[in-house]
Amino acid sequence: MKSPSMLRGLLSFSSMTMVSRVLGLLRDISISHVFGANVATDAFWVAFRIPNFMRRMFAEGAFSTAFVPVFTEVKETGTHAELRELMSRVAGTLGGVLLVVAALCVLFAPQVALLFTPGAVEEPHKFTLTVELLRLTFPFLLFVSLTALAGGALNSFHRFGLPALTPVILNLCMIAGAWWLSKRLQTPILALGWAVLAAGIAQVLFQLPALRRLDLLAWPHWGWSHPQVQRIMRQMVPTLFGSSVSQINLLFDTVIASLLISGSQTWLSQADRFLELPLGVFGVALGTVILPSLSRHHVATDTEGFSKALDWGLRTTLLIAVPAMFGLMLLAQPLVATLFQNGQFRPFDTRMATLSVTALSFGVPAYALVKVLLPSFYARKDTRTPVRAGVASLLSNMLLNGVFLMMLYASWAPPELRAGPLLDGLSRVPGLHLALGMASAVASYINLWLLWRWLQRADIYQQQPGWGRHLTRLALACAAMVALLLLGRWYWPDWTLLSVAGRVWRLALLVGAGGGTYVVVLFATGFRLRDLHHQ
């Protein structure tokens, strides 16, 4: 595929994803306003995070990266009947396996809750809520994985918009759950669980007309012995881990956060939402758009085309991810205060969530670049290398979690708490969740460094000319943006005391001025939109 086609695909995918992410932000604002940050919201975020972790793997990671190259190969070299047969067999096999997995997780929900939130055992009400919510949210895994199958097929036909728009359904259902259904239930937080379940079913139905138009809508059949299904499964198992390291890290963070002060799960989830915008709109979008192109270049043994496609992805990612990192770090408190501090969400919650946003935003470039680098391995059917990098990153995250947590505890805990039991002290010192964000960010850079190192060793990517100019322009534009934002933060230091209207216009001014400065300096130093077309 030529780069302009990839650019059109990126814009289509990104624009639809932008709608979804903005609604996702409105969803979290609604949840914070209606429920606040407390035991109930902590229970929901845990119950949602576990199947949502699976969604990330299947919808944006392992399944798509294993399925799309095989599907593209059959599409390019086989008949349409073979393509329909592949869809039927994959749908039947994937659906059958995940039906069993979802049923087991619903049946053993107390054990799953105990595994991921050991700290909740000391709070029976919180633990019971988590179990009830898990039983509502886990079937979402089955439906969203079938949605990912449909989306992967549509992406292979360069239909990027509809799959990217599909998550909007989840956000709309959860907003309705928070504002409408919660008022009609004896346990209001359960409304969010029912909303997730309804959204999973609706997302599958939403994709079916588009598949029918491509004549790919076939009745599912069990196909474990089908050769192409076996290829997908063989590639998918290691890919499950390799493409989902950041999400596995988040699950480990969930376990540790259950030992910390109440509200920590909610603050971490809100920080993750801010990362979703640059990562989902551009990082995941680039990875999704570039995978079919890399797969086709690999099938055609077009090394030059492979390098140009990957180079285009890397440059485009840096243009978005680096300013996004600085913007999120410097505007963390203004963003949290403006968007969340209302209703049941207090100034203390704003300060705590700000810590998470600041720490996690440091890793934005690494998170995004990993999403672009991984398809370069998966397009060549190399699933082993990402797993090796993922294991190293995961172990680093676990080690750094402990190191940073103990450092902060030693610095912030009063002497009387440090003299008592450690677990009791951890649950009483606010702000310790900062350690989890710091560890995740550093581990993401370790993952990126290892992938880049092994990509260079494989000698499949030749760096294209012009990187020096590209990085110089990027550095100058970011420096100008940072200087302006620092001036704004110095002039308006504490946002928790401002009125809602005051926060809104000040944030709009800073975002507009910062973004405008970045774009103006970028173009003043020679950047042009056609540069993207030529990569």
Side-chain angles (χ1 to χ4, degrees):
M1 183 192 295
K2 295 179 181 179
S3 292
S5 297
M6 285 200 295
L7 184 60
R8 283 196 297 272
L10 172 63
L11 292 175
S12 172
F13 192 101
S14 295
S15 60
M16 295 300 100
T17 305
M18 175 69 82
V19 175
S20 172
R21 293 301 190 257
V22 169
L23 279 171
L25 193 57
L26 291 176
R27 174 196 82 189
D28 288 359
I29 292 171
S30 299
I31 292 171
S32 296
H33 182 88
V34 174
F35 299 106
N38 48 46
V39 168
T41 50
D42 274 7
F44 168 72
W45 286 119
V46 170
F48 183 53
R49 192 174 293 155
I50 298 169
N52 200 43
F53 155 69
M54 304 286 189
R55 174 186 75 83
R56 299 277 176 81
M57 289 198 303
F58 287 96
E60 297 169 358
F63 178 76
S64 294
T65 49
F67 171 71
V68 170
V70 175
F71 188 85
T72 302
E73 186 177 315
V74 175
K75 173 175 168 283
E76 296 290 325
T77 61
T79 65
H80 190 77
E82 290 173 334
L83 209 57
R84 274 180 58 89
E85 174 74 7
L86 179 61
M87 281 291 292
S88 169
R89 297 296 180 180
V90 173
T93 309
L94 181 70
V97 170
L98 290 176
L99 181 62
V100 174
V101 171
L104 287 173
C105 290
V106 168
L107 186 62
F108 295 103
Q111 288 76 14
V112 175
L114 181 61
L115 178 64
F116 289 105
T117 56
V121 177
E122 302 298 323
E123 304 175 71
H125 174 61
K126 183 176 182 178
F127 186 77
T128 302
L129 267 181
T130 305
V131 170
E132 287 186 63
L133 286 163
L134 270 173
R135 287 186 165 138
L136 288 173
T137 58
F138 240 112
F140 178 69
L141 170 61
L142 169 64
F143 299 116
V144 82
S145 299
L146 294 174
T147 301
L149 168 63
L154 293 173
N155 288 341
S156 296
F157 280 86
H158 317 305
R159 311 289 174 87
F160 296 107
L162 188 69
L165 187 63
T166 302
V168 164
I169 296 170
L170 173 66
N171 295 324
L172 290 174
C173 286
M174 291 178 69
I175 290 170
W179 288 105
W180 178 75
L181 185 58
S182 65
K183 297 174 182 177
R184 289 159 174 78
L185 296 181
Q186 188 174 0
T187 308
I189 199 71
L190 292 181
L192 298 180
W194 284 109
V196 170
L197 179 59
I201 299 170
Q203 284 180 337
V204 176
L205 299 177
F206 184 66
Q207 301 271 31
L208 297 185
L211 283 182
R212 183 185 294 277
R213 285 193 292 273
L214 291 173
D215 193 27
L216 289 174
L217 190 58
W219 192 257
H221 288 90
W222 181 254
W224 191 264
S225 59
H226 190 279
Q228 302 294 6
V229 173
Q230 288 189 338
R231 281 182 63 197
I232 293 169
M233 292 299 178
R234 280 197 301 270
Q235 292 170 30
M236 187 176 169
V237 172
T239 308
L240 275 170
F241 187 85
S243 65
S244 307
V245 169
S246 63
Q247 295 305 311
I248 295 172
N249 284 339
L250 189 60
L251 280 187
F252 277 112
D253 293 349
T254 300
V255 175
I256 297 175
S258 73
L259 306 173
L260 306 180
I261 191 171
S262 288
S264 295
Q265 303 281 13
T266 304
W267 301 322
L268 282 169
S269 294
Q270 287 166 338
D272 190 48
R273 169 56 50 193
F274 284 109
L275 264 67
E276 285 295 312
L277 194 59
L279 289 183
V281 173
F282 297 103
V284 173
L286 276 163
T288 302
V289 169
I290 208 173
L291 178 58
S293 180
L294 292 175
S295 299
R296 184 159 56 258
H297 288 310
H298 177 67
V299 170
T301 61
D302 179 8
T303 306
E304 184 182 357
F306 189 96
S307 293
K308 285 184 175 180
L310 182 56
D311 208 77
W312 175 83
L314 293 172
R315 293 192 195 203
T316 307
T317 300
L318 287 174
L319 279 176
I320 303 300
V322 176
M325 172 187 70
F326 288 121
L328 284 171
M329 290 177 77
L330 293 172
L331 297 179
Q333 191 191 71
L335 283 165
V336 175
T338 304
L339 296 173
F340 291 115
Q341 190 181 309
N342 198 5
Q344 299 300 313
F345 200 84
R346 307 301 183 193
F348 171 76
D349 299 313
T350 294
R351 289 189 286 272
M352 293 297 100
T354 296
L355 293 176
S356 297
V357 176
T358 305
L360 282 172
S361 60
F362 172 65
V364 165
Y367 298 135
L369 286 169
V370 164
K371 295 289 185 186
V372 175
L373 282 183
L374 285 173
S376 68
F377 294 95
Y378 298 141
R380 299 179 297 113
K381 316 295 191 298
D382 176 7
T383 54
R384 184 173 298 179
T385 299
V387 170
R388 290 164 62 199
V391 169
S393 173
L394 184 61
L395 294 175
S396 300
N397 183 68
M398 294 170 66
L399 176 64
L400 291 170
N401 269 338
V403 170
F404 290 147
L405 191 61
M406 289 302 100
M407 286 172 58
L408 292 180
Y409 183 69
S411 302
W412 293 353
E416 60 271 18
L417 276 183
R418 291 202 301 271
L422 177 62
L423 290 180
D424 181 57
L426 290 175
S427 65
R428 295 171 61 187
V429 178
L432 295 181
H433 61 287
L434 172 65
L436 308 183
M438 292 165 58
S440 293
V442 174
S444 69
Y445 280 99
I446 293 172
N447 192 20
L448 173 65
W449 176 74
L450 289 172
L451 287 173
W452 179 254
R453 181 183 171 199
W454 286 323
L455 182 68
Q456 297 291 87
R457 281 185 182 179
D459 197 28
I460 56 163
Y461 164 63
Q462 278 75 47
Q463 193 169 296
Q464 305 298 298
W467 268 99
R469 291 194 308 274
H470 187 74
L471 293 177
T472 301
R473 292 167 185 161
L474 182 62
L476 291 172
C478 285
M481 183 190 75
V482 167
L484 188 141
L485 293 181
L486 283 173
L487 181 64
R489 289 306 320 275
W490 170 79
Y491 193 71
W492 295 313
D494 190 351
W495 289 59
T496 61
L497 305 177
L498 297 172
S499 66
V500 174
R503 292 180 223 145
V504 169
W505 77 257
R506 285 174 174 84
L507 179 62
L509 182 62
L510 283 182
V511 170
T517 300
Y518 173 74
V519 172
V520 167
V521 174
L522 199 62
F523 277 86
T525 52
F527 174 79
R528 296 294 180 267
L529 286 177
R530 64 174 178 270
D531 294 344
L532 291 180
H533 290 203
H534 294 313
Q535 303 307 327

